[in-house]
Amino acid sequence: MRIHLSSVFVDDQDKALAFYTDVLGFVKKTEVPLGEDRWLTVVSPDDPDGTELLLEPAGHPAVKPFREALVADGIPATAFAVNDVHAEFDRLRGLGVRFTQEPLAMGPVTTAVLDDTCGNLIQIVHHA
């Protein structure tokens, strides 16, 4: 068994697609119209057949209070692996990305947390 799909709820799929591709560096994998929304996924360019991230519309009534509670408590919605948290932090900050946690080493793990501009906190992580 392996993870095939994960998702993050987003306020605006177009804005999310731009952020996740143009800023974070993912590539669009699937886009299927579903009424007003789309089945819209991105993948790592390093693993185009790997785990897909669904940019899922945040329209369900339970989503808003759930995401607001996570953000208020500083809890990331998900985490992405990077080769170098400090380098990625510098690159993304140079692109105007707002971080809620600067790089922090915790034993063999270094993390940082960013705001994805679509209602979520996202953690970047590297295991040494």
Side-chain angles (χ1 to χ4, degrees):
M1 189 175 301
R2 61 186 170 85
I3 297 171
H4 169 71
L5 178 77
S6 187
S7 65
V8 291
F9 290 108
V10 298
D11 297 332
D12 178 313
Q13 286 185 304
D14 291 325
K15 181 179 175 183
L17 181 62
F19 183 83
Y20 280 77
T21 58
D22 298 342
V23 177
L24 295 185
F26 292 101
V27 294
K28 182 169 66 172
K29 170 90 179 204
T30 307
E31 182 172 5
V32 178
L34 298 170
E36 293 180 18
D37 299 312
R38 298 166 283 172
W39 181 264
L40 182 60
T41 67
V42 296
V43 294
S44 168
D46 297 331
D47 191 10
D49 295 320
T51 304
E52 295 178 52
L53 179 67
L54 175 63
L55 303 176
E56 189 162 357
H60 189 282
V63 172
K64 184 177 180 181
F66 172 71
R67 287 193 314 159
E68 287 175 350
L70 290 179
V71 170
D73 289 344
I75 299 171
T78 193
F80 302 139
V82 297
N83 291 328
D84 182 332
V85 170
H86 292 279
E88 197 64 14
F89 172 82
D90 290 340
R91 181 186 79 81
L92 292 171
R93 191 169 58 177
L95 293 172
V97 173
R98 185 178 75 83
F99 281 80
T100 61
Q101 177 203 304
E102 295 194 4
L104 177 64
M106 298 172 279
V109 176
T110 302
T111 66
V113 178
L114 61 94
D115 178 341
D116 79 349
T117 74
C118 303
N120 304 291
L121 298 179
I122 303 294
Q123 184 177 69
I124 57 174
V125 62
H126 173 75
H127 297 269

